[in-house]
Amino acid sequence: MSAECSSYLNADKVLVSGFSCPRTGGDARAVYCCGFQDVKYCCDDPHSFFPYEHSYMWWLSVGALVGLSIAAVVLFAFIITVCVLCYLFINTKPRSKLDTGLSLQMADSETRGSSVC
């Protein structure tokens, strides 16, 4: 079994001529043409989409973890800051109550008794 990889322009806009898989001197199991429009290669898995070794992906994962960790710390600091500011806002409000303009006094028992006839 073999596959033909057609010619393509790589990322540097250089024409790479087509080739057959497996390549001469390459892995005999790499019988499929894999890749994208700007990079093609022979591979042993027809569902392979990434031409680099797994160690390259590991460094991408480490970079993503570092970035996510920094983002989590920034988000945590933001939430703590908002909580502290809300606490300070609530506790530094003046304790005086607003005057509604209504007098809420209890009526005397004499006043209630004399108005009933």
Side-chain angles (χ1 to χ4, degrees):
M1 175 181 253
S2 67
E4 292 290 325
C5 286
S6 60
S7 60
Y8 62 94
L9 289 176
N10 65 10
D12 298 326
K13 304 295 184 206
V14 175
L15 180 65
V16 177
S17 59
F19 53 90
S20 294
C21 294
R23 292 186 118 170
T24 307
D27 188 3
R29 295 174 296 161
V31 295
Y32 300 103
C33 181
C34 299
F36 303 100
Q37 290 180 349
D38 61 345
V39 61
K40 293 183 181 180
Y41 57 98
C42 296
C43 64
D44 61 350
D45 181 9
H47 303 292
S48 176
F49 297 110
F50 206 71
Y52 304 106
E53 294 296 323
H54 295 292
S55 62
Y56 182 78
M57 290 298 292
W58 171 250
W59 285 110
L60 284 178
S61 298
V62 169
L65 288 174
V66 168
L68 288 173
S69 299
I70 291 171
V73 167
V74 169
L75 179 65
F76 184 69
F78 176 77
I79 290 171
I80 294 297
T81 303
V82 168
C83 290
V84 167
L85 289 176
C86 286
Y87 175 79
L88 290 174
F89 176 75
I90 290 170
N91 284 341
T92 57
K93 289 172 73 174
R95 298 283 180 197
S96 63
K97 295 182 180 180
L98 294 176
D99 184 16
T100 60
L102 300 173
S103 176
L104 300 176
Q105 296 176 354
M106 291 189 57
D108 294 337
S109 60
E110 297 174 1
T111 314
R112 276 191 265 154
S114 62
S115 61
V116 178
C117 294

